[in-house]
Amino acid sequence: MPANTRTRLAVSPLRRSFDRRIAPAVDALVAELRPSEPLHCFRPRLARATARRFVARFPGEVLYAVKCNPEPRVLRALRAGGVQSFDVASITEARLVHQLFPDAVMRFMHPVKAREAIREAYATLGIRDFVLDSEAELAKLSQETGGASDLGLIVRLALPKGAAAYDLSGKFGAERDTAVALLRACRAAAPRIGLAFHVGSQCLDQMAYARAIAYAGEIAAEAGVGLDVLDVGGGFPLAYPGSTPPALDQFIDAIGEAVAALPAGLAPALWCEPGRALVGAATSVVVRVEHRRGQELFVNDGIYGSLSDAGAPGFRFPARLIRPDGAAANEMADFVLFGPTCDSVDRMAGPWPLPADIREGDWIEIGQLGAYGAALRTGFNGFDRARLVDVDAPPLLFTAGHPGA
Ligand SMILES: *Cc1c(COP(=O)(O)O)cnc(C)c1O
């Protein structure tokens, strides 16, 4: 990473822990380390296997959405699992991927880019494919690449709200008429054109992809142009407590059927950009209980750390007690968690079912934090330290269609 990137990080980077051994199990590790800071437990073997399965099943190119976890160890595991391409959305992400894997394919999937980022991506980092959702961005891309004739231009579509936990069409995406006009303009400007959409993160309905693919087909037909690429985005879901998504294969099948039903002559190459589904299960975070107040537990990580999705977004996560020095009660009770900062919104309502006698000094392993966990940490209030260690353990919760499920 260039030096200027490092100095701008507001939060301490995750520090690699202790040695290069892979710990066999999280409990033994906690007994040995008795961690006083959040301990991120990364499962490289699981990440590799998940990548391998996704790449084997998806009938096209799998681009990893770097934003959801840019940790180099994670990127290396995915690469080892067969992920050759990366969806980057900032110049910092692009530099990082380029530094780790100089020969990797990167595609710049942010519809609004800084001019400097376009210039560096094209001239220095070898990026040729760019997403856009406006005429202004098309002009910017042409100007900053010196009128390049070797671009791939992908128009991002806005979609009506679907069944996803996070709607991603409110911010980006061209509406129908704009998309039609843009697609024609791109055809005139670039040898490779396509359409992209994002059904929203943690999409629980495979038919949301099918509807979006049919909609993309209508746009292409209306524009009267062929499509070289159809990018179905991310959004592939993970299991969480109380939320059991359809199996991965059902998503893949729905996508395949929808593509087969496109108007004759439209046979684009398929891309997808999974984030959460590739890496979410691979990291758990071990937190320590600093105080118990009734059914409330004060722990050393929270919404300003790796648990922001447990705050206002209201995600629930699998959790289990780790008490190296003795047995816990069989009886379970529901708890609310508070993070370490002084902000009263640093609260995670759960509910978190844990042994009824949980107390100060116990540890809790919280699963499914490999996506949008560490990547969203801040240094707020000084609680910015965390450790990272490799483990070889199953995930706390299996997702249908994923390895081991
Ligand atoms: C965030 C994002 C992704 C990854 O989404 P997941 O829900 O984590 O799969 C993919 N593509 C784009 C354009 C994104 O913004």
Side-chain angles (χ1 to χ4, degrees):
M1 214 185 297
N4 63 340
T5 317
R6 203 171 270 284
T7 55
R8 280 185 205 143
L9 289 175
V11 60
S12 305
L14 284 181
R15 286 168 307 138
R16 277 291 295 295
S17 226
F18 316 109
D19 57 37
R20 286 171 183 276
R21 244 179 336 146
I22 292 191
V26 175
D27 294 64
L29 193 66
V30 171
E32 183 189 334
L33 302 175
R34 311 190 74 84
S36 60
E37 298 165 353
L39 183 68
H40 291 237
C41 300
F42 174 56
R43 295 151 171 78
R45 203 157 62 97
L46 179 67
R48 254 191 332 266
T50 306
R52 206 174 288 127
R53 174 166 302 203
F54 210 108
V55 167
R57 298 282 160 95
F58 187 78
E61 181 177 316
V62 176
L63 296 113
Y64 171 57
V66 174
K67 79 164 185 282
C68 94
N69 191 335
E71 164 61 40
R73 301 191 61 66
V74 171
L75 297 173
R76 286 197 194 93
L78 296 177
R79 173 89 167 173
V83 172
Q84 312 279 1
S85 313
F86 296 85
D87 155 4
V88 295
S90 66
I91 201 64
T92 301
E93 288 180 356
R95 288 174 188 161
L96 171 66
V97 171
H98 184 71
Q99 188 202 21
L100 290 173
F101 320 120
D103 60 335
V105 173
M106 294 187 281
R107 310 195 192 276
F108 207 136
M109 301 316 238
H110 195 304
V112 181
K113 292 165 284 298
R115 288 179 179 273
E116 294 81 356
I118 296 169
R119 238 178 287 151
E120 183 178 338
Y122 182 81
T124 310
L125 301 178
I127 295 179
R128 290 295 174 266
D129 296 282
F130 297 85
V131 148
L132 66 154
D133 67 1
S134 68
E135 294 276 359
E137 190 76 4
L138 180 56
K140 214 196 259 177
L141 283 164
S142 172
Q143 287 157 11
E144 299 306 328
T145 60
S149 60
D150 60 351
L151 296 181
L153 296 177
I154 314 296
V155 176
R156 168 85 173 257
L157 297 173
L159 295 177
K161 191 166 168 54
Y166 284 106
D167 176 22
L168 297 181
S169 284
K171 183 166 182 179
F172 297 129
E175 302 295 338
R176 188 179 199 109
D177 292 349
T178 308
V180 168
L182 266 181
L183 206 50
R184 289 184 182 136
C186 289
R187 180 77 291 169
R192 182 167 55 254
I193 64 165
L195 289 172
F197 55 78
H198 196 302
V199 295
S201 206
Q202 184 64 9
C203 175
L204 296 174
D205 176 9
Q206 68 272 30
M207 294 316 288
Y209 290 87
R211 285 192 295 275
I213 290 165
Y215 177 64
E218 287 170 27
I219 303 271
E222 202 172 318
V225 302
L227 276 189
D228 303 298
V229 173
L230 180 57
D231 177 356
V232 302
F236 300 91
L238 213 57
Y240 292 91
S243 176
T244 305
L248 176 63
D249 280 343
Q250 293 187 244
F251 287 84
I252 306 278
D253 289 349
I255 289 168
E257 285 162 25
V259 169
L262 284 173
L266 265 193
L270 281 189
W271 297 350
C272 67
E273 308 163 353
R276 181 189 304 278
L278 285 184
V279 298
T283 300
S284 59
V285 178
V286 175
V287 303
R288 192 171 69 181
V289 179
E290 308 293 11
H291 178 55
R292 174 171 176 172
R293 182 174 72 190
Q295 294 309 105
E296 297 167 332
L297 302 174
F298 292 72
V299 299
N300 61 354
D301 201 3
I303 69 160
Y304 295 100
S306 58
L307 286 162
S308 55
D309 276 348
F315 271 66
R316 292 182 56 207
F317 293 89
R320 68 183 189 94
L321 176 84
I322 300 179
R323 181 182 290 169
D325 306 322
N330 287 327
E331 186 197 341
M332 302 290 278
D334 281 344
F335 291 88
V336 169
L337 265 50
F338 280 107
T341 72
C342 300
D343 190 344
S344 55
V345 308
D346 194 359
R347 178 178 187 274
M348 297 154 283
W352 303 77
L354 289 159
D357 68 343
I358 190 168
R359 60 188 184 227
E360 191 232 320
D362 284 335
W363 285 272
I364 303 169
E365 185 186 15
I366 303 174
Q368 309 297 65
L369 283 172
Y372 309 111
L376 292 168
R377 290 166 59 231
T378 74
F380 179 52
N381 225 168
F383 296 101
D384 66 338
R385 291 162 68 92
R387 291 269 189 180
L388 173 63
V389 69
D390 285 355
V391 300
D392 193 10
L396 267 67
L397 193 59
F398 285 102
T399 299
H402 283 230

